[in-house]
Amino acid sequence: MGVLMHLSDLHFGAHDPRVCAAVHALARRLDVALVVVSGDLTQRATARQFDAAHHFIAGLPALRTLVLPGNHDLPLFAWWERLGHAYRRYARWWGDDLEPVCDAGGFFVVGVNTTRPWRHQRGSLSRAQIDAVAQRLATGPRDRWRIVVTHHPLVARHAGDAEHRPHRAAEAVKRWRDAGAALLLSGHAHEPGLSEVLPGLWTAHAGTAVSVRLRAQAPNSLITLEDREGQRCLTRWDFDPSEGAFVPHPGGPLPM
């Protein structure tokens, strides 16, 4: 099994070039096989911001990438584009598949689009999406680490975080765990965290990877997943301004 790097909430247009360089340096050091980016590539979905985000992601030394849109990747002020063409700007760089699936490096990752053109912030899940993901997980390779990635977090870390969950999140969590999911990846709230939410099902919330839009006293952060001597581990990495680099969170790798 290789190393998966989970990034979220890049917000190009409100990004820090020094932190961007540190992400690239860490990816080179860890020999990353797969990069997963769970949305909000841009701050305001402009062509220049999408181009900068694409340049950053394409430059990461990884064999494969899986990218999802976030609510910031839909035009906010050009409301007319939301009427049938909400994802046109995003698709110019990332294609029309808004729910990609990737099997690489020992990971089987299923992407789910929780954004909606008629919502500016909160996400949603349809029952058709929940069923489709459950089917993909159930028929996915049994020897892979089966993972679901969304922009909006499916699990609230605290009471104030509940509003970030998409509609039908509780139903999705149970169905997908029963279908074989071992891990849920998400972003949106800019507040990192790792936890086991149900027996056998973990969640990893990435903070903002490279944006200056920091919240909740949390630094720029990202998540990695890897196999260490036969033990699957999650690691949270925080940017240390004094070192100009990402360093492991004091909690260390979290065995799964």
Side-chain angles (χ1 to χ4, degrees):
M1 180 178 289
V3 177
L4 181 152
M5 176 177 280
H6 174 215
L7 310 174
S8 196
D9 299 87
L10 309 181
H11 289 283
F12 270 85
H15 62 286
D16 186 331
R18 188 184 184 208
V19 183
C20 292
V23 173
H24 277 252
L26 180 63
R28 288 192 298 271
R29 179 156 67 92
L30 297 180
D31 193 21
V32 172
L34 173 62
V35 171
V36 174
V37 186
S38 57
D40 279 2
L41 313 179
T42 67
Q43 177 63 12
R44 283 291 174 254
T46 68
R48 179 176 293 182
Q49 292 168 7
F50 273 123
D51 193 54
H54 185 272
H55 180 76
F56 169 79
I57 295 170
L60 288 165
L63 297 176
R64 299 282 299 277
T65 58
L66 183 148
V67 180
L68 290 179
N71 54 292
H72 275 260
D73 299 319
L74 283 67
L76 177 62
F77 301 114
W79 55 267
W80 56 91
E81 290 195 28
R82 287 179 172 258
L83 304 176
H85 303 288
Y87 298 96
R88 180 166 56 187
R89 299 185 187 188
Y90 172 89
R92 178 180 170 187
W93 280 268
W94 301 106
D96 294 319
D97 186 359
L98 304 180
E99 299 193 318
V101 176
C102 184
D103 183 359
F107 308 100
F108 181 72
V109 185
V110 180
V112 189
N113 179 26
T114 55
T115 66
R116 296 293 185 266
W118 56 90
R119 296 183 184 277
H120 290 306
Q121 291 190 358
R122 192 172 182 186
S124 186
L125 285 165
S126 69
R127 289 195 169 88
Q129 284 179 301
I130 294 172
D131 290 344
V133 172
Q135 177 68 17
R136 284 175 165 176
L137 290 168
T139 58
R142 297 302 179 94
D143 61 341
R144 307 291 199 275
W145 200 352
R146 284 176 282 178
I147 300 165
V148 178
V149 55
T150 59
H151 176 62
H152 297 85
L154 301 182
V155 178
R157 289 147 294 182
H158 47 72
D161 197 35
E163 64 182 22
H164 295 305
R165 300 178 75 196
H167 295 290
R168 300 188 179 91
E171 177 185 347
V173 169
K174 184 178 185 306
R175 284 283 307 281
W176 296 345
R177 191 280 303 266
D178 292 346
L183 179 65
L184 307 174
L185 300 176
S186 66
H188 185 65
H190 295 206
E191 189 176 352
L194 307 172
S195 62
E196 186 175 20
V197 294
L198 290 172
L201 179 65
W202 291 76
T203 182
H205 305 276
T208 174
V210 300
S211 172
V212 298
R213 302 177 72 248
L214 302 176
R215 299 178 189 162
Q217 308 300 314
N220 293 105
S221 65
L222 57 87
I223 306 293
T224 59
L225 299 70
E226 59 186 309
D227 191 309
R228 296 191 175 189
E229 299 178 352
Q231 175 68 63
R232 293 173 173 176
C233 294
L234 286 167
T235 304
R236 168 183 161 184
W237 298 78
D238 293 344
F239 181 71
D240 184 337
S242 65
E243 296 191 22
F246 280 87
V247 299
H249 187 69
L254 184 64
M256 294 178 63

